[in-house]
Amino acid sequence: MLGLKLETDPRWVDIVESNIEEILTDHAWCEQKAATNAITIIIQNPEHTDLVTDLLTLAQEELQHFEMVHELIKKRGYTLGRERKDSYVNELYKFMIKGGTHQQSLVDRLLFSAMIEARSCERFKLLSQKIKDPELAKFYHDLMISEAGHYTTFIGFARRYGEGLDVNKRWAELIKFEGEVIKNYGKSETIHG
């Protein structure tokens, strides 16, 4: 369904298990950034009532996920660390069209968002299947389902508002680009790292 070109090496889970506090902190900030991204899309596109409505719900879910991860951090006796830079997301951002029409920018932002959700979903699935900690396995399984829904939301809106644009072609280009980018990741205890 996600169409990713390169799956994460399962050995990434071993790296994650070596520093659970770090992955949880990174994950918490990923959820915050996802909420902020949804709000940014709303701010830039208030004329699309259905988009605003659905992304408000999505932003609230992302903030709830942030809270859930933070509760897990506290429960385990950890402290939420400082926000982390997400090099993977920054590299994906370079793919987006700069200086195009408002419609092109919206579609690209929606596809960019869908890609991040797709990769997060893929990573959460891997964690749910391979991590030895049963609490975290269930936690990531539940979040995987939510991320898949967010992916679908963003792809759906890209297609809805991409009339006259070849959205499927642009998505295929992004999948190819992401497949090259992700080759450099999977080596650190971060959600996208």
Side-chain angles (χ1 to χ4, degrees), residues 18-34:
S18 72
N19 194 345
I20 296 296
E21 183 174 9
E22 179 61 28
I23 190 76
L24 290 175
T25 287
D26 181 73
H27 180 187
W29 289 115
C30 286
E31 299 292 357
Q32 175 272 319
K33 290 172 195 165

Side-chain angles (χ1 to χ4, degrees), residues 55-90:
L55 291 192
L56 278 170
T57 300
L58 190 146
Q60 290 168 345
E61 288 175 9
E62 298 290 17
L63 280 177
Q64 287 171 347
H65 296 168
F66 184 26
E67 182 180 22
M68 289 165 58
V69 179
H70 186 238
E71 289 301 318
L72 198 52
I73 288 169
K74 292 189 305 184
K75 178 181 174 184
R76 290 174 176 243
Y78 304 144
T79 302
L80 178 65
R82 296 269 175 207
E83 180 183 357
R84 281 25 176 186
K85 177 181 170 189
D86 194 327
S87 298
Y88 164 82
V89 170
N90 290 336

Side-chain angles (χ1 to χ4, degrees), residues 2 9 11 28 43 54 87 97-98 121 152 169 176 187 192:
L2 299 173
D9 185 328
R11 292 175 293 185
I43 290 167
D54 287 1
S87 298
I97 293 173
K98 312 296 185 283
C121 182
T152 302
K169 179 178 181 238
K176 183 178 178 186
K187 301 171 181 99
H192 302 123

